[in-house]
Amino acid sequence: MRAATGFEETRIEELPVETTTEPVYGIIPLLAIAVAAVALLLLLIVRFKLHAFISLVLVSLLVGLATRIPFDELVDTLLTGFGDTLANVGLLVGLGAMIGRLLEISGGARVLADTLINRFGPRRAPLALGFASLLFGFPIFFDAAFVVLLPIVFSVARRFGGSLLLYALPTAGGFLAMHALVPPHPGPVAASELLGADVGLVLLLGLLVAVPSWYVGSYVFSKFIGPRIDVPVPVLGASSEVDQDTAGSEEAAPLPRFGTVLAVLLLPLVMIFLHTGLETLRTVGAVDSDAAWARPLLLLGETPIALLTTAIVSIVVFGRGRSRTNVERIVNGALGPVCAIILITGAGGMFGSVLQASGIGDALAETLNAAGFPLIVAAFVIATGLRVAQGSATVALTTTAGLLAPTVAAVEGLSALYLALLVLAIACGSMVLSHVNDSGFWLVGRFLGLDVSTTLKTWTVMATLVGGTGFLLVLLISAFA
């Protein structure tokens, strides 16, 4: 079979995935079980409000029973999928959360935004806020980052005037793009693990896709919609919750300098870029694979090592002026909010493991091949459907990757570049059509003082534009993959 090297060539072919046992059923029954599993998963999460972690574990078990995986192999299949996913996801998400929390508590976010606004000037204040959100959104999750930066958005909007949407949408869009497309956020990390994509390459390509997607779908859209929908700045600040959480518990410490904040944010990126560059040079033979000087550099550029190094640097830099006990409490407090996300991504890996062992992945591969459906388009469509149905971008990313992982394993010759693009296609689908079942929809609408109708016209359209633009870029790049 030829290697899949281009958009037109990358279709599902006939190679089967090695499974623990031979599938008991044919293609049609296996696909019916897969559809029923996704429907049940959505029913449990959306209708019965059962936690996504429990829902994924339960549905994984039921799929294993329905496809008649032997009892003595079923639990091992579940635990293997869960553990293999957490081995990568837990480490990266945990370290990323620590870096983000230290940056938040130290006042680094305010320093970053204020400096960029001063340098960009009043007329480009929305652009400056957007760039700040792209930088600050690298290590910190969407909801926390939005709440932390929102008081600055309010202050800038009062200072320069105009609709609040001119300033808030570029900020929210930057956080959304980074959260969905760029590791160490849990969705792209989990999808990378499930599909066998290189996390460092996903990070590089994610940045390449995120910035223009944000610019077109968020910044340009804000300039269009802002003059048409006048949203005043709310009288009450939206950050009281954060302020109360940190006030009184944190010691007075000097604000970090802009250069320091920027250096810490860029440190893991530079280290990962170094690793990717050396790997590329090794592949083409420009660097000796056994060179003694190259091996330590390659190790330092591995994503977990890069984030560990950055976390230690953040503790030293942003913990200056605070007691060791206080810094330890800040770092420890960063882990609680990400616990549920880590468990959900692990359960998504469990779901994917069962789908692979059951033979459902083979059935899906054969069906997509018969329909002539490009894998990268299927990834976007499935992720979009799951996003619309249950709301969570992380769940959509993880579940879609779990569904497609056996199918990807059935295709020979997929390049590392194409696997990374496949992760990003899923990520783009997980952003679009955010509506009332998405917590981000209510977070943005509530803090900006928007009613449901206005939130649909602004936030929902913006999220769809960011995801849609990103997918078009992924398709364009995949034509040369």
Side-chain angles (χ1 to χ4, degrees):
M1 181 184 354
R2 66 183 176 180
T5 57
F7 173 69
E8 291 300 326
E9 296 176 349
T10 309
R11 302 181 189 278
I12 311 306
E13 301 188 21
E14 70 280 358
L15 273 184
V17 184
E18 291 185 5
T19 57
T20 306
T21 59
E22 287 295 322
V24 176
Y25 303 111
I27 292 178
I28 300 301
L30 286 173
L31 290 179
I33 291 173
V35 171
V38 174
L40 177 59
L41 182 64
L42 296 175
L43 181 67
L44 292 174
I45 295 174
V46 177
R47 176 66 178 85
F48 295 104
K49 308 300 181 185
L50 188 64
H51 195 278
F53 170 66
I54 298 177
S55 299
L56 281 164
V57 174
L58 177 59
V59 171
S60 299
L61 175 62
L62 293 176
V63 168
L65 294 172
T67 54
R68 299 170 73 176
I69 294 176
F71 290 154
D72 59 345
E73 297 178 6
L74 180 53
V75 172
D76 285 343
T77 300
L78 296 172
L79 295 181
T80 299
F82 185 78
D84 288 349
T85 303
L86 286 189
N88 194 28
V89 174
L91 185 62
L92 300 189
V93 172
L95 290 170
M98 291 178 183
I99 297 167
R101 183 62 174 165
L102 287 163
L103 182 62
E104 171 191 336
I105 292 296
S106 68
R110 177 173 290 278
V111 170
L112 187 68
D114 287 346
T115 304
L116 287 174
I117 290 168
N118 289 335
R119 294 188 180 181
F120 274 72
R123 293 182 59 188
R124 295 185 178 87
L127 190 63
L129 286 170
F131 272 114
S133 69
L134 290 170
L135 289 169
F136 186 45
F138 171 68
I140 192 168
F141 293 168
F142 171 83
D143 51 355
F146 184 71
V147 171
V148 168
L149 210 59
L150 199 56
I152 303 170
V153 173
F154 286 172
S155 175
V156 172
R158 290 193 189 99
R159 179 180 171 187
F160 299 121
S163 174
L164 178 61
L165 296 176
L166 289 169
Y167 308 92
L169 289 182
T171 304
F175 290 138
L176 174 65
M178 296 298 286
H179 185 82
L181 291 165
V182 181
H185 292 286
V189 170
S192 300
E193 175 68 20
L194 290 167
L195 297 178
D198 180 83
V199 176
L201 189 55
V202 172
L203 190 153
L204 298 180
L205 290 173
L207 289 172
L208 184 64
V209 171
V211 175
S213 299
W214 160 80
Y215 185 84
V216 174
S218 183
Y219 176 66
V220 173
F221 175 67
S222 71
K223 295 179 69 175
F224 168 80
I225 200 68
R228 290 164 174 78
I229 301 179
D230 184 26
V231 176
V233 179
V235 176
L236 297 177
S239 64
S240 57
E241 189 176 314
V242 175
D243 294 339
Q244 291 171 6
D245 179 59
T246 58
S249 63
E250 306 300 335
E251 304 164 13
L255 290 174
R257 295 181 178 180
F258 172 75
T260 302
V261 175
L262 192 60
V264 171
L265 287 174
L266 293 179
L267 175 60
L269 300 181
V270 171
M271 294 176 70
I272 293 168
F273 289 172
L274 175 64
H275 173 85
T276 304
L278 285 175
E279 281 289 358
T280 302
L281 292 174
R282 283 192 1 171
T283 302
V284 300
V287 171
D288 184 0
S289 300
D290 298 323
W293 64 268
R295 289 197 295 270
L297 293 178
L298 286 168
L299 175 63
L300 286 175
E302 291 282 359
T303 305
I305 304 301
L307 286 176
L308 174 63
T309 303
T310 306
I312 294 172
V313 171
S314 299
I315 289 173
V316 174
V317 172
F318 298 136
R320 194 170 298 155
R322 294 180 170 85
S323 67
R324 294 181 180 178
T325 301
N326 201 3
V327 172
E328 190 275 336
R329 186 166 61 247
I330 293 171
V331 172
N332 185 62
L335 298 178
V338 302
C339 176
I341 295 173
I342 292 174
L343 289 176
I344 288 171
T345 54
M350 178 187 295
F351 185 48
S353 179
V354 171
L355 292 174
Q356 182 169 357
S358 66
I360 288 176
D362 296 336
L364 184 59
E366 291 186 31
T367 302
L368 292 175
N369 179 51
F373 214 56
L375 180 56
I376 207 164
V377 176
F380 177 78
V381 171
I382 294 171
T384 298
L386 288 170
R387 162 69 158 178
V388 172
Q390 54 78 44
S392 169
T394 300
V395 172
L397 262 159
T398 306
T399 306
T400 303
L403 283 167
L404 292 180
T407 305
V408 170
V411 182
E412 283 187 346
L414 288 179
S415 66
L417 176 59
Y418 192 87
L419 289 174
L421 291 172
L422 190 61
V423 171
L424 297 180
I426 297 173
C428 291
S430 75
M431 283 189 279
V432 304
L433 297 174
S434 168
H435 61 95
V436 294
N437 63 356
D438 176 23
S439 60
F441 177 92
W442 296 107
L443 180 76
V444 172
R446 170 191 160 202
F447 280 134
L448 299 185
L450 309 177
D451 57 28
V452 172
S453 175
T454 305
T455 309
L456 287 168
K457 295 175 185 176
T458 55
W459 162 257
T460 301
V461 173
M462 183 206 73
T464 304
L465 287 173
V466 173
T469 303
F471 180 60
L472 292 177
L473 289 172
V474 169
L475 280 180
L476 179 63
I477 299 171
S478 71
F480 305 97

